[in-house]
């Protein structure tokens, strides 16, 4: 199994409970403690309680981004309850479009459709105040998706962003007993959520973090300026992929100057013919 | 995996849109205002999306015909291209589209007639006799034709055009719409690299044998064909592979139906190359690429390719039908 690098943004503790239990997360003391943050022992799964609303979810997203380790493979997830006119309470949706409208602007955001099985896909209308009228028949109304997506898309690949909404109330069933029903619906959907996240983890595993080449052995022999460091890292990386580190060390030991070393490495790379 | 189709709201009721939707089994549909909302967004991962690209149905708002780079020709003086689609079902490691676009989702511009109206204007202009239009720059012209049904519209329109010439370029074997009486103003151009290279670096493309068979069927119907060795690739054993490929292809094409052969090396503008390099940092195919004067990256193998092609292609093809797309460094 690939390593899970997960970042959860969740409005309320009651919505987060099942996830905290699933991934064995512990609350941490991270001054100035603006938000409640949880993490696992391996530091790869983090969860933040944002509070209700788009402003809070945006702030919590950036707060968690600053507070947790950065990795291109991090998957950012917003999970929460939502209301709708017709959908059954307890049903779960993988959100692919977020619409937001206020008196000043109208915006739409789209999530990647790469993973679209297991949990049915749908759209949300993100609002600033609770919605009770459910004007749009087929829409799901919630209060954090817009703040989350607008912030997270600035630093995360679209393919690794997830919004999951579970219907807590509809036209016929009002949101009474919210805590009890939320606990129940989160628990009953946690397996589906975990399976979906695992699909995203598979995707994230094919993302390669920026290649880093350790040029210490070269730096020990020659003084390397910052500008030549980039060139040497690139050349050494390619050389080792084509030939071997041992051969690189031989060239290094024979080179009298850095210029000689670079010239020889370049020459060898240029003499390489692609093998199929 | 399910297919997701994004549709611009303004075109959702058009018959062609409905026909395209019908070709998918139970697709999920998401309505959008403009295709750019989904397609042009930053922070998208092109290779990841390739695993299950969504389809975006949109209406092209202008710029239907664009000028090709100045030196690009297959014989005529004025050269234009158009793209009724962005992206491709094949996954060629060297494809410039992966550096050109942020997304590998397929965009289909469904207002085909707008392209043909513009081509029609050109056909009635004084330069028509000396003009070629190229299809297959931002996509493979035929690879998605079973969904887009684009070539039916092409055939209908080009039946009316008398002077202008069209090249339809493809790596696909889907040529069903062309299994009919040929048209003299359409050239069906097939791109080839040797099988050993193709099977590793051109994922999803049928074998050369299969494609040559398709080529033969088209020839039997009287179509003029073009052969494209662009890119022409250098690797261990390339000379022998290319000589075999030349033999395989050219032995099947009668001289009078051979319209043109072109060849060129793999080359990228700087911004496109930087993106591709980021996606495939470990891909040895790009290790020897370097920049030259006009901000283009290539492997500096132009002379080698040129010498080889000049020497061997003339054994099969009239010299005047061979065009080189390699530029001096």
């Amino acid at each position: 199994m690939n390593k899970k690098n997960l970042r959860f943004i969740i409005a309320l503790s009651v919505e987060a409970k099942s996830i905290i239990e699933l991934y064995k997360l512990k609350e941490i003391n991270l001054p100035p403690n603006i938000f409640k943050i949880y993490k696992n022992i391996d530091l790869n799964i983090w969860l933040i309680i944002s509070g209700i609303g788009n402003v809070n979810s945006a702030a919590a997203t950036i707060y968690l981004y600053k507070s947790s380790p950065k990795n291109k493979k991090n998957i950012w997830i917003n999970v929460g309850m939502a209301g709708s006119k017709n959908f059954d309470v307890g049903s779960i949706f993988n959100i692919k479009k977020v619409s937001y409208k206020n008196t000043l602007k109208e915006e739409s955001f789209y999530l990647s459709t790469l993973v679209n099985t297991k949990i049915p896909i749908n759209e949300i209308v993100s609002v600033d105040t609770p919605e009770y009228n459910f004007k749009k028949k087929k829409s799901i109304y919630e209060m954090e998706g817009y703040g989350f997506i607008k912030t997270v898309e600035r630093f995360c690949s679209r393919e690794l962003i997830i919004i999951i909404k579970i219907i807590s109330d509809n036209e016929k069933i009002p949101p009474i007993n919210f805590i009890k029903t939320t606990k129940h619906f989160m628990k009953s959907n946690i397996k589906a959520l975990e399976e979906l996240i695992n699909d995203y983890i598979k995707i994230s595993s094919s993302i390669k973090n920026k290649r880093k080449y350790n040029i210490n052995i070269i730096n020990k022999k020659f003084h390397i300026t910052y500008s030549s460091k980039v060139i040497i890292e690139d050349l050494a990386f390619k050389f080792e992929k084509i030939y071997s580190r041992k051969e690189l060390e031989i060239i290094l030991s024979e080179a009298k100057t850095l210029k000689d070393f670079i010239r020889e490495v370049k020459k060898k790379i240029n003499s390489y013919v692609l093998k199929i | 995996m399910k297919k997701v189709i994004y549709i611009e709201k303004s075109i959702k009721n058009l018959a062609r849109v409905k026909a395209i939707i019908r070709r998918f089994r139970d697709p999920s549909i998401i309505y959008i205002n403009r295709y750019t909302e989904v397609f042009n967004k930053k922070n998208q991962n092109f290779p990841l999306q390739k695993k299950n690209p969504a389809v975006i149905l949109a209406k092209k708002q202008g710029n239907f015909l664009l000028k090709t780079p100045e030196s690009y020709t297959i014989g005529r003086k004025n050269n234009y291209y158009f793209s009724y689609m962005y992206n491709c079902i094949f996954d060629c490691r060297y494809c410039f589209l992966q550096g050109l676009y942020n997304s590998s989702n397929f965009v289909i511009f469904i207002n085909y007639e707008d392209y043909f109206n513009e081509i029609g204007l050109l056909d009635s202009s004084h330069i028509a006799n000396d003009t070629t239009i190229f299809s297959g720059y931002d996509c493979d012209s035929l690879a998605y034709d079973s969904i887009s049904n684009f070539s039916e519209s092409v055939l209908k329109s080009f039946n009316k055009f008398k002077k202008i010439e069209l090249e339809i370029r493809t790596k696909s074997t889907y040529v069903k719409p062309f299994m009919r009486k040929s048209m003299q103003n359409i050239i069906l151009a097939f791109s080839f690299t040797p099988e050993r290279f193709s099977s590793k670096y051109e994922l999803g493309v049928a074998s050369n044998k299969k494609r040559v068979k398709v080529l033969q069927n088209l020839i039997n119907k009287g179509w003029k064909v073009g052969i494209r060795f662009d890119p022409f690739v250098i690797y261990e054993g390339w000379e022998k592979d290319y000589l075999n490929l030349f033999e395989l292809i050219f032995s099947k094409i009668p001289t009078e139906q051979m319209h043109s052969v072109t060849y060129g090396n793999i080359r990228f503008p700087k911004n496109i190359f930087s993106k591709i390099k980021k996606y495939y940092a470990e891909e040895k195919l790009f290790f020897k690429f370097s920049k030259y004067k006009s901000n283009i990256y290539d492997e500096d193998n132009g002379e080698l390719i040129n010498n080889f092609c000049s020497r061997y292609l003339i054994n099969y093809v009239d010299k005047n039908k061979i065009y080189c797309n390699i530029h001096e460094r």
Side-chain angles (χ1 to χ4, degrees):
Chain A
M1 188 64 189
N2 304 302
K3 194 170 179 186
K4 300 175 167 82
N5 292 296
L6 310 178
R7 303 290 182 270
F8 289 94
I9 315 293
I10 296 178
L12 300 169
S13 294
V14 64
E15 293 170 314
K17 195 170 179 288
S18 295
I19 295 166
I20 290 169
E21 283 168 7
L22 174 71
Y23 294 113
K24 299 182 177 62
L25 309 181
K26 297 270 179 252
E27 188 177 348
I28 56 165
N29 176 22
L30 195 69
N33 287 316
I34 298 171
F35 295 97
K36 251 188 193 179
I37 294 183
Y38 297 80
K39 66 174 175 59
N40 69 340
I41 199 163
D42 294 331
L43 299 178
N44 57 316
I45 305 177
W46 293 64
L47 184 149
I48 190 165
I49 306 294
S50 68
I52 294 171
N54 284 312
V55 173
N56 281 334
S57 65
T61 304
I62 202 72
Y63 192 81
L64 189 59
Y65 175 68
K66 296 295 262 181
S67 308
S68 63
K70 288 164 193 59
N71 187 322
K72 265 184 165 177
K73 298 184 181 197
N74 287 348
I75 298 167
W76 287 80
I77 309 154
N78 169 235
V79 185
M81 308 306 281
S84 90
K85 192 178 178 87
N86 294 326
F87 293 116
D88 292 339
V89 292
S91 42
I92 184 168
F93 294 102
N94 182 4
I95 302 305
K96 298 298 173 194
K97 180 179 178 182
V98 179
S99 303
Y100 176 80
K101 191 179 172 182
N102 65 16
T103 47
L104 297 171
K105 60 183 173 184
E106 195 173 346
E107 286 179 89
S108 295
F109 293 85
Y110 299 88
L111 288 94
S112 164
T113 53
L114 205 50
V115 176
N116 58 33
T117 49
K118 289 185 183 157
I119 294 178
I121 72 170
N122 217 316
E123 306 174 11
I124 51 174
V125 177
S126 202
V127 289
D128 291 328
T129 51
E131 175 74 30
Y132 301 111
N133 298 325
F134 304 129
K135 280 172 241 154
K136 288 184 179 175
K137 259 188 190 175
K138 287 180 184 169
S139 281
I140 293 166
Y141 290 84
E142 62 78 70
M143 296 178 68
E144 287 82 32
Y146 168 68
F148 168 71
I149 184 86
K150 190 164 181 170
T151 311
V152 79
E153 70 159 15
R154 288 166 187 264
F155 54 78
C156 178
S157 169
R158 202 160 289 270
E159 287 67 37
L160 301 183
I161 302 173
I162 310 175
I163 298 181
I164 296 295
K165 295 292 162 184
I166 298 170
I167 305 299
S168 59
D169 55 287
N170 59 29
E171 206 176 35
K172 288 174 192 155
I173 303 172
I176 46 167
N177 248 332
F178 182 78
I179 293 178
K180 199 177 157 194
T181 51
T182 298
K183 264 188 201 166
H184 170 70
F185 290 141
M186 282 301 300
K187 206 169 176 182
S188 59
N189 281 303
I190 198 75
K191 200 165 182 290
L193 178 66
E194 189 188 14
E195 280 176 14
L196 181 93
I197 289 171
N198 287 342
D199 281 352
Y200 281 87
I201 290 166
K202 273 182 217 152
I203 289 171
S204 75
S205 68
S206 58
I207 292 181
K208 291 201 169 70
N209 279 314
K210 202 176 171 187
R211 70 185 190 197
K212 274 185 187 157
Y213 194 88
N214 189 343
I215 55 165
N216 279 349
I217 51 156
I218 305 163
N219 214 359
K220 268 184 199 165
K221 183 164 179 181
F222 301 117
H223 170 70
I224 298 174
T225 61
Y226 182 76
S227 57
S228 53
K229 184 177 170 242
V230 179
I231 297 166
I232 291 164
E233 274 175 348
D234 184 56
L235 288 173
F237 175 84
K238 288 175 181 171
F239 188 94
E240 203 177 302
K241 282 276 158 205
I242 298 171
Y243 304 104
S244 68
R245 187 153 184 99
K246 209 174 166 192
E247 282 176 86
L248 188 75
E249 283 169 12
I250 293 169
I251 294 178
L252 182 67
S253 69
E254 286 170 359
K256 290 196 174 87
T257 64
L258 183 63
K259 216 172 158 187
D260 282 349
F261 172 72
I262 292 174
R263 193 189 311 118
E264 196 54 33
V265 170
K266 264 189 185 167
K267 203 172 116 191
K268 284 280 276 179
I269 291 171
N270 285 333
S271 68
Y272 170 73
V273 182
L274 181 72
K275 290 177 177 61
I276 294 178
Chain B
M1 292 243 193
K2 220 174 173 174
K3 191 53 85 181
V4 172
I5 308 178
Y6 295 96
I7 303 173
E8 286 184 357
K9 284 175 193 161
S10 64
I11 58 166
K12 67 177 182 182
N13 293 321
L14 297 184
R16 183 169 289 146
V17 169
K18 288 178 179 167
I20 291 175
I21 296 169
R22 274 199 301 275
R23 292 189 184 105
F24 295 97
R25 218 179 112 199
D26 190 26
S28 295
I29 291 173
I30 299 173
Y31 292 107
I32 54 178
N33 293 316
R34 290 280 293 127
Y35 79 95
T36 48
E37 289 176 328
V38 183
F39 192 70
N40 288 1
K41 287 279 181 177
K42 283 182 184 166
N43 263 338
Q44 303 195 69
N45 188 307
F46 192 101
L48 280 186
Q49 286 186 4
K50 259 305 199 195
K51 292 173 198 276
N52 182 26
V55 175
I56 303 172
L57 301 182
K59 185 179 177 190
K60 182 97 172 157
Q61 303 289 350
N63 291 327
F64 297 104
L65 278 183
L66 297 161
K67 269 263 182 206
T68 63
E70 213 162 289
S71 56
Y72 194 84
T73 184
I74 50 169
R76 293 190 172 187
K77 195 179 161 196
N78 309 298
N79 297 284
Y80 297 84
Y81 72 92
F82 69 92
S83 302
Y84 87 96
M85 183 174 168
Y86 292 161
N87 283 323
C88 176
I89 60 169
F90 303 131
D91 191 2
C92 301
R93 187 57 75 248
Y94 54 79
C95 181
F96 80 105
L97 294 175
Q98 56 202 340
L100 182 66
Y101 297 130
N102 293 327
S103 165
S104 57
N105 289 335
F106 306 147
V107 182
I108 303 174
F109 296 109
I110 50 81
N111 47 330
Y112 307 158
E113 289 69 21
D114 288 336
Y115 292 91
F116 304 132
N117 287 341
E118 203 145 312
I119 295 170
L121 290 176
L122 209 54
D123 191 59
S124 50
S125 75
H126 69 283
I127 60 164
N129 276 325
D130 209 3
T131 299
T132 306
I133 310 278
F134 293 87
S135 164
Y137 182 78
D138 292 313
C139 66
D140 183 293
S141 299
L142 301 181
Y144 219 53
D145 202 44
S146 62
I147 302 290
S148 67
N149 211 18
F150 178 70
S151 50
E152 282 296 345
S153 302
V154 168
L155 291 168
K156 225 161 103 184
S157 296
F158 269 78
N159 217 6
K160 291 179 272 176
F161 304 147
K162 298 296 168 213
K163 302 168 193 163
I164 227 154
E165 172 186 78
L166 171 73
E167 177 195 286
I168 295 178
R169 189 180 294 196
T170 190
K171 284 194 183 95
S172 173
T173 52
Y174 184 82
V175 292
K176 205 171 141 195
F178 298 92
M179 289 293 115
R180 43 160 275 175
K181 193 173 167 271
S182 63
M183 287 162 62
Q184 283 313 295
N185 54 350
I186 294 181
I187 304 135
L188 297 170
F190 285 77
S191 300
F192 288 99
T193 58
E195 189 66 41
R196 267 202 312 141
F197 181 88
S198 179
S199 59
K200 184 175 176 188
Y201 288 104
E202 298 175 342
L203 303 184
V205 176
S207 70
N208 285 345
K209 257 191 184 163
K210 267 190 192 161
R211 289 190 287 144
V212 168
K213 182 90 185 72
V214 165
L215 194 67
Q216 253 182 309
N217 292 340
L218 291 166
I219 286 163
N220 292 341
K221 289 280 175 193
W223 290 94
K224 278 193 283 185
V225 297
I227 300 299
R228 307 289 172 249
F229 300 112
D230 197 353
F232 192 106
V233 286
I234 302 295
Y235 56 89
E236 204 172 57
W238 63 276
E239 293 104 321
K240 196 177 158 212
D241 285 355
Y242 267 102
L243 290 175
N244 288 338
L245 182 62
F246 288 176
E247 195 57 42
L248 174 75
I249 297 169
F250 296 121
S251 60
K252 311 286 189 306
I253 309 173
T255 324
E256 61 280 11
Q257 277 173 265
M258 169 60 77
H259 178 276
S260 54
V261 174
T262 66
Y263 62 89
N265 56 350
I266 304 181
R267 56 209 181 270
F268 303 106
K270 188 186 173 192
N271 53 342
I272 288 179
F273 184 63
S274 329
K275 259 176 147 179
I276 294 175
K277 211 174 126 186
K278 232 185 253 173
Y279 289 139
Y280 304 109
E282 297 186 13
E283 178 51 69
K284 294 190 185 96
L285 181 64
F286 306 126
F287 274 10
K288 286 161 68 180
F289 275 59
S290 60
K291 191 171 88 169
Y292 69 95
K293 57 186 176 187
S294 46
N295 236 7
I296 299 287
Y297 277 76
D298 77 358
E299 217 186 82
D300 195 11
N301 51 14
E303 204 181 329
L304 183 69
I305 294 169
N306 211 358
N307 288 342
F308 183 85
C309 288
S310 311
R311 182 170 168 199
Y312 291 106
L313 280 175
I314 49 165
N315 295 337
Y316 304 95
V317 188
D318 179 347
K319 201 178 160 190
N320 298 323
K321 292 181 177 178
I322 302 171
Y323 299 91
C324 168
N325 288 319
I326 293 168
H327 306 292
E328 260 181 52
R329 281 174 74 98

